[in-house]
Amino acid sequence: MHPDVGRRRVIIEGIQPAIDAGRFPIKRTIGEQVVVEADIFTDGHDLLSAVLCYRWTRDPVCTEVAMAPLGNDRWQGRFSVSQLGRYLYSIQTWVDHFATWYEALRKRVEVEQEVQVELLIGAELIEAASQRATGADVAELQERARRLRMPLESGSLAQARLVLEDETLRRLMALYPDRRFATTSPGEFAVVVDRDKARFSTWYEMFPRSCAAVPGQHGTFKACEARLPYLARMGFDVLYLPPIHPIGQVHRKGKNNATVATPDDPGSPWAIGSAAGGHTAIHPQLGTLDDFRSLIATAQEYGIEIALDIAFQCAPDHPYVQEHPEWFRWRPDGTVQYAENPPKKYEDIYPFDFDTAHWQALWEELKRVVCFWIEQGVRILRVDNPHTKPLCFWEWLIDEIKASHPEVIFLSEAFTRPKVQYQLAKRGFTQSYTYFAWRHTKEEITRYFTELTQTDVREYFRPHLWPNTPDILTEYLQHGGRPAFLIRLVLAATLGASYGIYGPAFELCEHRPRSEGSEEYLDSEKYELRYWDLEQRHSLQEFMARVNRIRHENPALQSNQSLHFHTVDNPELLCYSKSTADRSNVVLVVVNLSPYHVHSGWVELQLDTLGLDPIQPAQMHDELSDARYIWHGARHYVELHPQVVPAHIFRLRRRIRTEQDFEYYL
Amino acid sequence: MHPDVGRRRVIIEGIQPAIDAGRFPIKRTIGEQVVVEADIFTDGHDLLSAVLCYRWTRDPVCTEVAMAPLGNDRWQGRFSVSQLGRYLYSIQTWVDHFATWYEALRKRVEVEQEVQVELLIGAELIEAASQRATGADVAELQERARRLRMPLESGSLAQARLVLEDETLRRLMALYPDRRFATTSPGEFAVVVDRDKARFSTWYEMFPRSCAAVPGQHGTFKACEARLPYLARMGFDVLYLPPIHPIGQVHRKGKNNATVATPDDPGSPWAIGSAAGGHTAIHPQLGTLDDFRSLIATAQEYGIEIALDIAFQCAPDHPYVQEHPEWFRWRPDGTVQYAENPPKKYEDIYPFDFDTAHWQALWEELKRVVCFWIEQGVRILRVDNPHTKPLCFWEWLIDEIKASHPEVIFLSEAFTRPKVQYQLAKRGFTQSYTYFAWRHTKEEITRYFTELTQTDVREYFRPHLWPNTPDILTEYLQHGGRPAFLIRLVLAATLGASYGIYGPAFELCEHRPRSEGSEEYLDSEKYELRYWDLEQRHSLQEFMARVNRIRHENPALQSNQSLHFHTVDNPELLCYSKSTADRSNVVLVVVNLSPYHVHSGWVELQLDTLGLDPIQPAQMHDELSDARYIWHGARHYVELHPQVVPAHIFRLRRRIRTEQDFEYYL
């Protein structure tokens, strides 16, 4: 055994946050804190010291901060992250013989025990520290050790009292601890630090080909530029475009997913690649690469970033199929295996065969695709169906990209089983689609968002909420009328720091399904051009602008960790709050989940969560209606009319003034 | 990157049981099962196979059992342990291309798709398996591959139906899977397998020196032998003796812990060592080593094992102090550091200095002490204050001992903070003292025993319940009279598969504290000889015999994993059940927690936990009073008189007969 083994007596356990014992990093954005806790203890009664050590991976040295005991052998320390990229943290702890001695001395002095020998023991500890000290501290410590060895005439108790009051001694001893037998946590734990938009973003998905000013025309990037003021007015800061690449001709789908297309049908943008090019080419009808770069630049002027769709799959006429047959699975009849979910077949799509022996070349090529778009100025990537590619591929790809571009955001579009969805986030995706679209009842929403925001999941999985997508028109939206859209918008925008809508279908309350029981849109833009008349009276654009302004003005809504559900005695009414860490901004939301009926009930607030005094009244400012209420205590009556406004978004303004605030009161 | 990395597509996560990600072993006794679960999943839609691999460490090869999916990507497998010592388990999983193909074929056939090409793909998979096969299976598989390549006249669908019905094919393909790109769980997870007594044991603690037949005489091992029939009648199977070594003379404590002893005071058995010897010697007044071995042998005839106290500390006149001064901490005044918890001093005890540079020699010597007693026939060790020695020491010591003596049981007597207490169990202690003595209310008991039996804790921490010890006479026992002793006995004996009492103080309801507010016994046997008149009328010996017989006759009470609390509408009534895995034995306990008043209330049974039908009545046999009740449905009235019997221990006998059971009914 190593000669130190038996003397490393301190245990470190239960480190949090730590995803799968540190196998995966946690996530933060710049300026956020990492609060680290661990069980730290040893045998016997000795006192311990512990430090949290952290560093930005590009820094060669660690910074140490003292950890403090929380009780029950739980310790805590914290640091803030200020650089993009990765941080590492670990814990070191040791038996603190001086602190043990000091505390014992204090107890002995309290009962006026004889402490002559204890002072000599203290002198030894101080002498030993002086040998670890540097500069003037050496002499300072030696002088103190010497003094402890010379009995005072007033006696050892009086001398001990002087020692206990010597703050310099404590400070110096803390500077030079004996760490020879310190215990260090196993390995270092990683933090991926992203920019703010990873945490707080407001997305708008739109088909560029449907942006033409004239019905029937194929939209272009130029036409998209004309749409930017409209999006900016509504408060969106990310414009996400479905794939912009050439669309395959072979097995192209027709309107409403017809198996056979007419010559006029534009095909699905997700059937990528044709003679015109593949994943690094642009669909000619949308414009040129210059047009695309111009769109990025103009969007930037409106505070909007362009998010690109990364769909790693090919149309049968994609150039890869000829150039790299080894990246596809070939069937015994000499054809390429198309996508399928038996018995369903998707013959317009060839998936890559990630089981190929040539997987390394395939990985490198897909990385080249991502790098190409980064070079064009794209910094946000929405990844299509990542759960149908190996999880280890994503970990590699995202790590590779973020090593040189830590500002890139990857959004995982994985509507798959929960463990796979979470795993993609663990492997590196910055944000993730959720099951939000299918969570409608109070029970469903409360349970799901408690899991997302109040468990370990929140350390690595950043939920992104979409009430609709080109693939998902929920029954709730199909049948709930305009109120259903209002309700789902408020929920998405306030439950999720990041949310997005697929427009203009959303703000125009498009609700016709392809068929009874289907969640597909009728006349879906996936298969045809659509012309949208944006200025219809029932459009939600004003409401969305207001909700998004509330999100921008209330930092509480820009993260999810503080989400707390409050009790309401009506199952159709949902109430929850979010607040900043210092409670300088507190938002309370009440939503009528029924798009059909007026509902009322009594909210039971958990006052301490809101930082509210049980006695003092407070002003609740409904930022949706601009109404102001004076609330007092925990129970409050609410009543919401879905046809008017189905929700309150209250900002806690302040306590109510009393006569004591009146100028002449004193 | 390794050429396989990108093709190892399956993920294994969340393996349970696994203590601190496998850092520590779980515990089982012979015949028990290890049920292993894990999240196992991959990208896409491919089907998986997974096996649980396990082996006894002395076996060179693993046994594999198939794991089965439980839904939501959770998989389960199980094995039983049949050998003392250690087992290891791990998981291996891979994409099962044949199963994926087979399942897809089934779906295609259902909708009558053309499957000609699919059959050729299947032929390739079968051909590949034939190359992994051995013996006659090679030809069997090759023949099947050949047949699939020859179209039937009846068409591919008919041929596919034949394949789907070919059970031999499925069996053979499962025998020769393609595991080239299998994922294996990180490392192997360990199971420590103990003998039955580690799980189920009934202890009696007794001071041999107080066993003399005549008041005032010093008891001997011989006198202990005479006490064995009394213990056996009461149903105890472990007799635990406080330290039996020579007691120090220097700073010896007097009666009731007096700082100064009179020449007649026998001193505390925990102040070990004198001129007469140390940790491998026997206190001369108790007898000889031969007497001790005889006690072990005679006890064995009564089904009783002797448990020895291991207290690694020394009296000032212990031989070690002279022979190994380097194992103690010396003070600047040339004295040895005595035990203390400032400002309290225990000058009759010198602790070892485990921080010594000579710790390796110290560890070896302490191991030698344990080995010495094992050589004398001892197989159960109750370790005194293990939490004041390094945790790494215990892990080393217990592993060393159990490597050659896996049957040895170590009981940790650590009344310390919860994380240290749990850590000692993780490091290897077979059983552990608990906070049971201080848990009295329904809320306290329910919360504590749920933590012990329904969380990960149960995998490594085997609770041992003591209502009293020579150091602990709780206020509840001081003030509750005889009913308090009955209540605490029933709780200890039925909540804990292992429990013990310190007697005869317990069965004689000794309840006088040294002083008001103290938990120490007045005239404690720790510092003086006591003579106990065992045949007093108020003795609990008959009651204890009955309770212990119930424990022996009901396997449900011999483990803790099935403990379940049922609702009662009276806070003074506690109701819980235990059952065997197959529910062939179910025990339901109701206890009146108040030693003062009659209490009644309505029990609300969770019927599925008990395997009870909501309609069928059942016979509840109270094995304490021998009364039989017929219960029906979930709600039942109970009423318990503390002065009579404060508890029911029901055994579920059977369903009640009806007319349909009557011989002539049909």
Side-chain angles (χ1 to χ4, degrees), chain B residues 613-633:
Chain B
D613 186 296
I615 306 297
Q616 273 290 3
Q619 193 200 86
M620 309 294 285
H621 179 197
D622 184 352
E623 301 211 325
L624 272 182
S625 67
D626 216 24
R628 291 166 193 254
Y629 300 75
I630 291 174
W631 277 17
H632 176 270

Side-chain angles (χ1 to χ4, degrees), chain B residues 293-583:
Chain B
R293 280 190 292 248
S294 158
L295 171 62
I296 291 178
T298 312
Q300 206 160 22
E301 289 166 22
Y302 286 96
I304 294 174
E305 270 192 74
I306 301 297
L308 217 61
D309 196 313
I310 294 288
F312 283 145
Q313 57 190 20
C314 300
D317 38 340
H318 191 296
Y320 283 154
V321 181
Q322 297 303 318
E323 294 164 12
H324 293 287
E326 72 279 13
W327 292 346
F328 299 89
R329 181 167 293 163
W330 291 80
R331 289 155 56 90
D333 63 350
T335 62
V336 174
Q337 178 65 59
Y338 42 81
E340 53 177 357
N341 189 1
K344 283 191 207 159
K345 301 176 174 187
Y346 308 97
E347 286 155 312
D348 58 334
I349 304 288
Y350 287 178
F352 291 112
D353 175 18
F354 281 88
D355 281 336
T356 172
H358 306 274
W359 59 272
Q360 277 174 297
L362 172 61
W363 286 22
E364 289 293 345
E365 171 63 11
L366 299 180
K367 178 184 160 191
R368 198 187 63 80
V369 169
V370 172
C371 289
F372 175 85
W373 293 107
I374 289 175
E375 279 157 31
Q376 311 316 313
V378 174
R379 290 293 179 276
I380 305 186
L381 302 164
R382 176 271 194 195
V383 179
D384 191 71
N385 282 333
H387 59 289
T388 59
K389 289 94 193 170
L391 293 149
C392 50
F393 164 68
W394 294 117
E395 186 170 27
W396 171 83
L397 178 73
I398 296 171
D399 281 355
E400 289 277 307
I401 297 296
K402 296 191 88 163
S404 44
H405 288 286
E407 76 281 11
V408 174
I409 289 173
F410 290 86
L411 167 62
S412 154
E413 185 249 13
F415 289 118
T416 184
R417 307 183 313 283
K419 282 161 193 169
V420 179
Q421 205 179 60
Y422 287 150
Q423 183 73 201
L424 286 159
K426 289 180 181 179
R427 299 272 170 166
F429 279 92
T430 324
Q431 299 186 339
S432 307
Y433 278 59
T434 62
Y435 307 132
F436 167 71
W438 298 282
R439 297 290 180 275
H440 293 106
T441 67
K442 176 147 85 175
E443 167 75 16
E444 287 168 352
I445 292 172
T446 305
R447 190 181 296 197
Y448 186 46
F449 283 89
T450 299
E451 175 177 321
L452 292 181
T453 66
Q454 304 308 315
T455 70
D456 255 9
V457 169
R458 73 183 192 181
E459 302 291 350
Y460 61 87
F461 183 93
R462 291 202 190 91
H464 199 119
L465 279 50
W466 293 85
N468 74 331
T469 78
D471 298 308
I472 304 169
L473 172 65
T474 61
E475 288 166 285
Y476 187 90
L477 293 179
Q478 290 174 31
H479 306 305
R482 191 172 183 272
F485 285 81
L486 295 175
I487 291 164
R488 298 301 294 176
L489 184 88
V490 169
L491 289 172
T494 56
L495 285 169
S498 286
Y499 89 101
I501 56 116
Y502 152 55
F506 191 86
E507 66 263 33
L508 297 179
C509 304
E510 177 68 74
H511 65 279
R512 298 166 305 141
R514 187 187 300 160
S515 60
E516 170 74 30
S518 163
E519 284 193 344
E520 290 273 336
Y521 279 94
L522 181 67
D523 306 331
S524 167
E525 287 184 284
K526 288 197 294 181
Y527 310 107
E528 62 188 277
L529 308 187
R530 286 285 296 270
Y531 173 80
W532 301 96
D533 175 7
L534 301 177
E535 300 306 328
Q536 296 175 66
R537 273 194 58 196
H538 69 279
S539 168
L540 307 188
Q541 60 172 289
E542 290 308 323
F543 187 79
M544 280 160 57
R546 176 167 282 238
V547 168
N548 286 337
R549 198 176 61 240
I550 296 172
R551 281 166 52 84
H552 275 86
E553 290 171 357
N554 287 278
L557 295 175
Q558 297 169 15
S559 69
N560 299 320
Q561 319 302 64
S562 67
L563 181 65
H564 182 90
F565 291 93
H566 301 262
T567 307
V568 196
D569 63 358
N570 179 334
E572 294 288 358
L573 293 179
L574 180 71
C575 176
Y576 49 92
S577 62
K578 284 183 168 181
S579 49
T580 52
D582 63 358
R583 296 231 190 80

Side-chain angles (χ1 to χ4, degrees), chain A residues 612 616-619 653-658 660-661:
Chain A
L612 281 179
Q616 273 291 5
Q619 193 200 84
R653 280 296 176 182
R654 53 172 174 74
R655 73 176 182 86
I656 299 302
R657 286 166 195 268
T658 74
Q660 296 183 32
D661 301 309

